[in-house]
Amino acid sequence: QVQLVESGGGLVQPGESLRLSCAASGLTVSSHAMSWYRQVSGKERELVATISRTTFGSTTSYADSVKGRFTISRDNAKNTVYLQMNSLKPEDTAVYYCYAKSRYGSTYWGQGTQVTVSS
């Protein structure tokens, strides 16, 4: 059974940082494309960042709104994916979800973790 468990969300002030974690079980993060999405109530879920496996290593991609502030990474030994979020803004407030996609097209979601940026 696949489980993706997010943690690390919370309430921070603008300009501060948070690191989200996504601990995976039942799948291997190194063999999946791993992503972070976020969703504000009443709006569509938005892709924030992805880390994918390539022949030569890993590649990452980011939404324009977070480029230069957020960094996605993974620790294969811990089977965990991270999202380091710096210089947080009020508009980053959302529920953040971990997402995994296998090379065969199977997809999995975590339960989400709330991030609130407010003074």
Side-chain angles (χ1 to χ4, degrees), residues 96-109:
Y96 284 72
Y97 296 91
C98 183
Y99 170 85
K101 184 176 181 179
S102 77
R103 68 186 72 182
Y104 307 110
S106 299
T107 60
Y108 309 92
W109 289 96

Side-chain angles (χ1 to χ4, degrees), residues 76-90:
N76 294 337
K78 295 182 178 180
N79 210 32
T80 298
V81 176
Y82 303 99
L83 185 68
Q84 178 67 44
M85 306 186 295
N86 298 330
S87 302
L88 283 161
K89 304 176 181 179

Side-chain angles (χ1 to χ4, degrees), residues 8-108:
L11 171 63
V12 296
Q13 295 189 345
E16 294 186 339
S17 298
L18 276 176
R19 188 178 79 156
L20 305 183
S21 300
C22 171
S25 59
L27 63 79
T28 304
V29 299
S30 61
S31 62
H32 286 68
M34 301 298 299
S35 300
W36 287 95
Y37 282 76
R38 65 186 181 187
Q39 188 170 27
V40 176
S41 180
K43 296 189 176 181
E44 289 189 1
R45 202 165 285 191
E46 173 192 21
L47 178 60
V48 175
T50 298
I51 184 166
S52 302
R53 189 175 72 104
T54 69
T55 303
F56 305 103
S58 297
T59 184
T60 58
S61 61
Y62 299 91
D64 287 343
S65 58
V66 306
K67 276 181 184 176
R69 299 188 298 122
F70 290 13
T71 303
I72 188 170
S73 62
R74 65 178 171 222
D75 184 329
N76 294 337
K78 295 182 178 180
N79 210 32
T80 298
V81 176
Y82 303 99
L83 185 68
Q84 178 67 44
M85 306 186 295
N86 298 330
S87 302
L88 283 161
K89 304 176 181 179
E91 51 264 43
D92 294 319
T93 296
V95 178
Y96 284 72
Y97 296 91
C98 183
Y99 170 85
K101 184 176 181 179
S102 77
R103 68 186 72 182
Y104 307 110
S106 299
T107 60
Y108 309 92

